[in-house]
Amino acid sequence: MSTQALSPEARTLGSWTGVRTVFALEIKQRLRSRGWYVLLVVWFVVIGLVATLTALSSSAAMGPQGPVLYELMVGFILFFGLLLAPALSANAVNGDRAAGTLAILQITLLRPGQILAGKWLASWVASMGFLVASLPFLLWALALGGVEPLSAVVAVVMLGVELGIVCAVGVGMSALAARPLFSIVVTYMLVALLGLGTLITFGLSSFLTIETVKASSSTSYSYGSNGVEEYSCSGPLTDVSVARTERIAWILAANPFVVVADSIPTAPVRDENGFSTTGVMEGISTLVRQAQAGPEHTMPCLNGEAGNTGELDVPPIWPLGLGLQGALAALLVLLGRRRLRTPVRSLTAGTRIA
């Protein structure tokens, strides 16, 4: 009886079967680790303290308490999530290589893409556990009133997406780097580049866009019946230096805080005097959209004419931000996939195989 060679399809597992296998192995290891539970308790306590102090320090005179607590919670959850996600993902591959268990996976029917996908999915699910632990405090903000349920749903979805992107960056770096410590540090640097580096780059780049424009020497304003500032321009035109921020506003798109803040639908919140109040995340979105609009919006008397200082008519910037972040994560994962191919032609000196 003759035997036929197995086809390439028969020598590999189905795409989802392979991913599910690696995912199950990774999740079991994480659930057996006591450190994950300790981090979860610390996370819950820290977020709870922030929520309690915010609720106690805010008063009814400042307007509805719900939006204040809600926006601070979203900001803190994103901040702590960006600190936590690299630790959960940036040693997913080279950690197994250092322990001598990666080679066991590589000699099975699993393909490199399935190994990476399974480890990324496990890291993402582990990080989502911390987001789930934060939901009671978001529900607390909803119970205080002043927050639209749709806004909270969008915020939770976007927070989960951001955690997934950072986990993908970490898993990609863990496949590229030979040492876990190096991949963790580089992942934190990339997160810092997206969060803080974009702000620094935008600020420095704004000096390169400065132009001289004409503006009225005298400006006065009053509040109309709808509470919007109405400007009047008088006096001769003078030269004023302004930064054309609309040319470089795209730099801010990759910032995780900008992506989350700009994607959340908000409604005007007014205090007991009828004036509109702005929360942390809404303030970030407003500042970015002002940068997109440029001096035509921020300078009411540009060229001696009262400009449009009302509603900002600019497209949302968060889709561009997700695209840039996704491209970075995809690039690192694809490069990491090449490093997992077998047989390996060359290895870094000192790299453990089994």
Side-chain angles (χ1 to χ4, degrees):
M1 180 177 179
S2 61
T3 59
Q4 296 181 349
L6 294 177
S7 64
E9 292 76 10
R11 295 196 299 267
T12 59
L13 293 176
S15 298
W16 173 243
T17 302
V19 173
R20 185 178 57 188
T21 302
V22 178
F23 170 76
L25 291 173
E26 288 287 315
I27 285 295
K28 289 178 181 179
Q29 291 179 0
R30 293 176 186 273
L31 292 179
R32 291 171 182 169
S33 174
R34 185 178 301 177
W36 187 79
Y37 296 100
V38 172
L39 285 175
L40 194 62
V41 172
V42 173
W43 170 283
F44 186 83
V45 171
V46 172
I47 296 295
L49 287 175
V50 173
T52 303
L53 292 175
T54 302
L56 293 176
S57 60
S58 60
S59 61
M62 300 172 57
Q65 293 178 293
V68 177
L69 178 60
Y70 162 71
E71 296 213 0
L72 281 178
M73 282 297 94
V74 172
F76 272 101
I77 292 171
L78 178 58
F79 175 72
F80 291 137
L82 294 177
L83 294 178
L84 185 68
L88 296 174
S89 60
N91 64 342
V93 177
N94 50 23
D96 284 356
R97 181 181 288 119
T101 57
L102 179 62
I104 299 176
L105 293 177
Q106 290 178 299
I107 63 174
T108 63
L109 299 179
L110 293 169
R111 296 191 295 270
Q114 293 173 327
I115 296 175
L116 280 179
K119 288 182 175 293
W120 165 72
L121 189 59
S123 301
W124 189 14
V125 171
S127 65
M128 289 293 288
F130 294 88
L131 179 58
V132 172
S134 306
L135 292 181
F137 305 105
L138 292 176
L139 293 176
W140 184 11
L142 287 175
L144 291 176
V147 180
E148 293 292 334
L150 176 61
S151 177
V153 172
V154 173
V156 171
V157 171
M158 295 304 298
L159 289 172
V161 171
E162 286 296 323
L163 291 177
I165 291 176
V166 175
C167 286
V169 171
V171 170
M173 279 305 309
S174 71
L176 286 171
R179 299 288 185 268
L181 179 60
F182 180 79
S183 61
I184 292 174
V185 171
V186 173
T187 302
Y188 274 114
M189 291 180 64
L190 290 175
V191 172
L193 178 64
L194 294 176
L196 186 60
T198 50
L199 298 179
I200 296 175
T201 304
F202 175 80
L204 295 177
S205 300
S206 63
F207 293 102
L208 303 177
T209 64
I210 292 179
E211 291 183 356
T212 301
V213 297
K214 297 291 185 179
S216 299
S217 58
S218 179
T219 304
S220 59
Y221 68 92
S222 60
Y223 288 99
S225 57
N226 55 356
V228 178
E229 295 178 345
E230 296 179 351
Y231 289 83
S232 60
C233 309
S234 60
L237 297 179
T238 58
D239 292 335
V240 179
S241 297
V242 297
R244 309 295 302 194
T245 55
E246 71 274 14
R247 301 174 183 173
I248 56 173
W250 62 270
I251 298 175
L252 297 173
N255 191 299
F257 290 90
V258 172
V259 171
V260 175
D262 194 56
S263 63
I264 298 176
T266 57
V269 178
R270 302 186 181 277
D271 57 20
E272 60 181 7
N273 297 320
F275 292 100
S276 178
T277 59
T278 302
V280 177
M281 303 304 288
E282 184 182 358
I284 294 175
S285 177
T286 300
L287 290 176
V288 172
R289 296 200 176 196
Q290 287 178 349
Q292 289 179 265
E296 281 75 13
H297 178 86
T298 56
M299 294 188 63
C301 289
L302 186 65
N303 297 323
E305 299 179 357
N308 177 25
T309 58
E311 190 71 21
L312 288 168
D313 187 18
V314 293
I317 202 172
W318 66 266
L320 173 61
L322 279 185
L324 294 175
Q325 294 176 1
L328 173 62
L331 176 63
L332 293 175
V333 170
L334 289 176
L335 292 177
R337 181 179 178 275
R338 296 181 60 183
R339 291 293 300 271
L340 289 182
R341 291 178 179 175
T342 53
V344 180
R345 295 184 178 180
S346 62
L347 287 173
T348 306
T351 299
R352 181 174 180 177
I353 299 178

